[in-house]
Amino acid sequence: MPSRHDIVTFHDPPVPPGASPWVAGAGPSPDVRVVDPDPTWPDQFAHLADVVRRALGWRALVIEHVGSTAVPGLPAKPVIDVDLVVADAGDESSYVGALEEAGFELRVREPWWHEHRLLRPRPDAGLPACHLHVFGPDSPEVVKHRLFRDWLRGNPDECARYADAKRGASAAATAAGEHGMQYNARKERVVREIYARMFAATGLTDEFPDAGGSVGP
C-alpha cells in the first residue's frame, strides 16, 4: 500500500532523455470537448469492466470507475476513465496481450511514473471510448483517483467548482487549437485546490500538498 506521504504528494518526474510516454503512432488527443452528463456512463463502465475482467480473470486485482464520468451530474469529456490494478504493471506480458485480444491497444508507457500504462479501445472494437490506466498495487494514483471521485460525489459545491473549471478549460483549449494535455494543464490549479481541501478534510494532511506535478484523470 502507498504511504500517506505518497498519497498527498504529486509526483511529476521528468521524461528521461530520449524517451517518450507515447508508443509508436500515438499522441495526445486533439478532442477537448466537455459535454453534459450522460446517464449511460456507469453502464459503459460496467461493460468495459466486464470485458477487462473476462480478459484477465484474477489478474485484474481492481477495476475502478474514476474521473469525471464517475461523478453523477458532472460534465466531462465523453471518455470513461478506468483504473486497473495488476500485480506488476511493468510486466506487460502478463496483461497487454490479453487486453489486445479483447479489443484494446497500448498507447502510453511510463515506467518512470508508477509504471503507468494506458490502453484505449481499437476503433474497430465496438467498445465505449475509454482510458484504461494500469497501475501496480503500490501506486498512490489509484488512491488519489478514488478519493477525488468520492469527494466530488459528496460535495456539490466542489463538483460545481470543478465543472466550471472544466468548461472554461475546454472552451479556452478549443479556441487555441490545443490538445488534451494542454486542456488538463488549464484546469490544474483548480484541481489542486480541490485536492488540498480534500486531503485536509480526510486527515491525510494539515497543510496544502505540494502544488507541483500532474493531475489525475
Side-chain angles (χ1 to χ4, degrees), residues 117-139:
R117 268 55 171 184
L118 183 145
L119 296 91
R120 297 195 65 170
R122 291 194 313 271
D124 63 348
L127 295 172
C130 86
H131 288 156
L132 180 59
H133 300 273
V134 185
F135 293 103
D138 295 332
S139 172

Side-chain angles (χ1 to χ4, degrees), residues 11-217:
H11 307 269
D12 191 24
V15 177
S20 170
W22 305 103
V23 303
S29 171
D31 189 358
V32 295
R33 292 176 302 123
V34 169
V35 303
D36 290 336
D38 184 338
T40 72
W41 283 337
D43 292 334
Q44 292 180 37
F45 162 74
H47 175 51
L48 289 161
D50 183 61
V51 171
V52 171
R53 195 172 289 111
R54 284 189 281 110
L56 296 183
W58 289 103
R59 288 174 289 171
L61 303 180
V62 175
I63 306 173
E64 195 88 49
H65 189 189
V66 296
S68 296
T69 63
V71 180
L74 183 61
K77 292 192 296 182
V79 179
I80 308 298
D81 278 299
V82 181
D83 274 356
L84 167 64
V85 177
V86 298
D88 182 357
D91 180 11
E92 295 181 10
S93 65
S94 68
Y95 64 90
V96 170
L99 291 173
E100 287 176 338
E101 290 183 8
F104 294 91
E105 58 185 0
L106 184 65
R107 306 289 286 178
V108 170
R109 178 186 290 117
E110 296 179 290
W112 54 85
W113 187 62
H114 309 296
E115 290 290 353
H116 174 243
R117 268 55 171 184
L118 183 145
L119 296 91
R120 297 195 65 170
R122 291 194 313 271
D124 63 348
L127 295 172
C130 86
H131 288 156
L132 180 59
H133 300 273
V134 185
F135 293 103
D138 295 332
S139 172
E141 295 304 308
V142 177
V143 180
K144 282 191 182 76
H145 296 169
R146 186 178 68 249
L147 288 172
F148 190 68
R149 177 200 64 194
D150 293 347
W151 179 255
L152 293 176
R153 286 176 174 177
N155 292 274
D157 290 348
E158 295 279 50
C159 189
R161 187 174 293 111
Y162 189 35
D164 289 343
K166 290 167 67 66
R167 292 194 187 280
S170 175
T174 298
E178 295 174 345
H179 55 62
M181 300 300 291
Q182 293 162 317
Y183 156 80
N184 285 341
R186 287 184 177 275
K187 61 187 177 75
E188 182 173 299
R189 179 184 60 80
V190 172
V191 170
R192 290 306 173 81
E193 291 171 353
I194 295 173
Y195 264 111
R197 290 187 290 272
M198 179 191 75
F199 288 147
T202 56
L204 286 168
T205 182
D206 295 326
E207 300 177 353
F208 281 4
D210 180 4
S214 60
V215 301

